[in-house]
Amino acid sequence: MDPNRSALPFREFSHRISLVFMLTLAAALLLLGRAETYVFDRARQVVTDLAAPLLEVASRPVAATRRVIERTDEYAYVFDENERLRAENARLLAWKEEALKLQGKVARYEALLNVQVDPSIEYASGRVVSDSGGPFVETVLVNVGTEQGAKSGQAVIDTDGLVGRLVSTGPKASRVLLLTDLNSRVPVVIEPAHYKAVLAGDNTDWPKLEYLAAQSAISPGDRVVTSGDGGLIPPGLPVGLVIQTSSGDLRVQTFSDRGRLDFVRVLQYEFPSRVKRQDPPEVLKGPGESAELGAAAPAAPAAQAAARE
Amino acid sequence: MAKLEPYSPTPAARAGRIVMTIMPFAIGLACVLLAFVPLGRIVGSALTPAFPLMAIYYWAIVKPEMFPPFAVFAVGLIFDLVSGGAIGLWAFVYVITYAVVISQRMLLVNAPFSAFWIGFLATAAFAGLLAWVIVSIIHGIFVPPGSVIRHMAVTVAVFPVFAMLFGRIQTRVLQGS
């Protein structure tokens, strides 16, 4: 008789037992995991920190391949692109003049009203090293961690606009909750009428606008920027444009393209109440003014403005 | 046992056996990592196939004793930890899917490739539906199913490539077992 034969049913049996055990364990984890305990958070962070360097190495060839494809595309359309850029440059130069004029004007008004100047925001740059990897979660990993000053809650932007915010950080890598995730809520303002709303992701490509006043007159094409309410995300970061879906809902098309995320900035923003008061820029102070006369400073530009009228 | 192994294996043979034992699991882990590599960025979309599901299905049919339930559980759990989603979601989905695939193994084990692929289509549909139901219960709303349908469709579409790859690995490396 084959000596292996007696082992087979036992093997089958032990296989079945371990299957049932693993099934129970997984179900228990699914229920316990809802509690978001310290142990799970810690385990998640450790695994993420271990995986991030590997993913960074693995994402390099991907980035290189994409660059090659983009280059090829660019060569094909180089003349059209050049033409388009010339036109855009001419348009932007006009805007630059306008912006400089407005900048001066706003600075004068701020000095006049003694407005608290926004503190400059420091940032750490990094690369997006992973994709979300699951159909129900819209998060990515960036290679900026607590060693670079990243903290949970900080806003993440790319060249186009707001990408999301950090939800957990490790020494070398952090997780970014994208605007489209089911759990993402960001306070925003819809320009130009300055209606406030909350941008709520729902795992679709276009997040919803919640808590929008019923009588607010917003229309597709309006610009959406962060409001800064809550003090977590700096105000005025570009988010996207209002669009109307085929079912008539108003949603937001984000400026940042989730499929092309590469280099991002983590903004190390501190709510202004916690930073020292900043004086208006030196150029706005009248000639001969000293630091002791700081209290009188707002009056001087006011007088200048009055004289100009 | 003495009857089964009349000779004592050399260290090299022992090392080879260890490699063979852990190879499917190592491939499963590599698939988890691959699932997070932003491959979709090359074409400017954010779709990544469920690579671990392919490995689990393949080994469950071809050599289940080399991909035991705890390995399936570990692959699912590590996927959950890296993805940042609900902990235990994919561990649970993968272990149940594995159990279902094992129960239907006899149908598929020597079937032609087209049947093997159709079997994977059914498996992916089952896993996607189960995950969608669990996530919807967790969040208390009907989560839009579009992303999971796309995710599983891409997975089924690229499965033949990976099945071929796993087949190669199996014939080259694991044939000795």
Side-chain angles (χ1 to χ4, degrees), chain A residues 111 114 277 279-280 282 284-286 288-301:
Chain A
N114 200 13
R277 194 186 162 77
D279 289 324
E282 284 297 320
L284 292 172
K285 290 182 182 167
E289 268 180 58
S290 69
E292 289 84 45
L293 295 173

Side-chain angles (χ1 to χ4, degrees), chain B residues 90-168:
Chain B
W90 290 103
F92 186 74
V93 169
Y94 285 159
V95 174
I96 286 208
T97 309
Y98 175 80
V100 172
V101 172
I102 291 269
S103 72
Q104 303 302 315
R105 183 170 172 251
M106 285 306 148
L107 283 178
L108 297 162
V109 72
N110 282 320
F113 185 75
S114 53
F116 193 52
W117 196 6
I118 290 171
F120 185 68
L121 171 72
T123 308
F126 172 77
L129 182 71
L130 183 63
W132 180 76
V133 168
I134 294 173
V135 171
S136 294
I137 291 171
I138 287 175
H139 288 285
I141 52 163
F142 285 112
V143 178
S147 62
V148 69
I149 292 172
R150 279 200 303 268
H151 179 66
M152 287 305 172
V154 173
T155 309
V156 173
V158 299
F159 177 68
V161 179
F162 278 78
M164 207 179 69
L165 206 70
F166 295 153
R168 280 279 165 82

Side-chain angles (χ1 to χ4, degrees), chain A residues 28-274:
Chain A
L29 262 186
L30 196 54
L31 293 176
L32 287 177
R34 299 281 296 139
E36 292 288 331
T37 53
Y38 173 77
V39 181
F40 290 134
D41 281 354
R42 191 83 201 109
R44 194 172 265 172
Q45 203 48 65
V46 168
V47 172
T48 306
D49 254 3
L50 285 175
L54 292 173
L55 286 171
E56 189 178 341
V57 171
S59 69
R60 291 245 160 115
V62 172
T65 314
R66 205 196 70 188
R67 234 166 281 145
V68 168
I69 292 175
E70 279 181 354
R71 272 295 147 74
T72 322
D73 257 16
E74 280 166 16
Y75 278 126
Y77 295 106
V78 71
F79 288 107
D80 292 347
E81 186 67 5
N82 200 6
E83 200 69 8
R84 192 185 67 79
L85 287 175
R86 272 172 207 278
E88 187 176 290
N89 197 28
R91 212 169 48 242
L92 289 180
L93 277 176
W95 270 109
K96 186 188 164 194
E97 283 304 313
E98 189 72 13
L100 283 174
K101 242 189 283 171
L102 283 172
Q103 192 186 25
K105 209 171 185 179
V106 168
R108 256 200 331 274
Y109 288 157
E110 279 179 350
L112 254 176
L113 298 168
N114 200 13
V115 169
Q116 161 85 58
V117 179
D118 280 338
S120 57
I121 301 167
E122 293 195 358
Y123 58 84
S125 298
R127 278 192 56 208
V128 173
V129 295
S130 88
D131 215 326
S132 67
F136 305 112
V137 195
E138 301 267 317
T139 64
V140 293
L141 297 179
V142 290
N143 60 355
V144 176
T146 44
E147 285 174 6
Q148 286 86 34
K151 267 191 254 164
S152 202
Q154 286 172 342
V156 180
I157 59 168
D158 69 356
T159 47
D160 299 322
L162 186 68
V163 171
R165 66 186 168 86
L166 299 187
V167 282
S168 72
T169 50
K172 299 215 182 298
S174 308
R175 184 178 299 286
V176 183
L177 187 74
L178 300 178
L179 295 175
T180 45
D181 188 275
L182 200 57
N183 294 310
S184 168
R185 300 285 182 277
V186 174
V188 292
V189 152
I190 298 140
E191 288 178 339
H194 212 77
Y195 288 114
K196 289 197 172 185
V198 170
L199 188 74
D202 61 352
N203 277 14
T204 61
D205 289 344
W206 307 287
K208 292 181 290 188
L209 288 168
E210 281 184 355
Y211 306 109
L212 194 61
Q215 72 277 21
S216 51
I218 59 171
S219 52
D222 285 354
R223 217 162 153 272
V224 179
V225 299
T226 55
S227 72
D229 287 350
L232 203 58
I233 294 175
L237 297 178
V239 173
L241 294 177
V242 175
I243 54 165
Q244 193 155 28
T245 60
S246 50
S247 58
D249 301 345
L250 289 172
R251 283 177 175 259
V252 175
Q253 169 80 61
T254 56
F255 288 132
S256 76
D257 182 356
R258 196 187 165 313
R260 314 193 148 267
L261 289 178
D262 199 2
F263 286 99
V264 292
R265 276 178 185 180
V266 177
L267 301 183
Q268 289 156 7
Y269 173 69
E270 291 274 348
F271 190 57
S273 70
R274 269 182 272 141

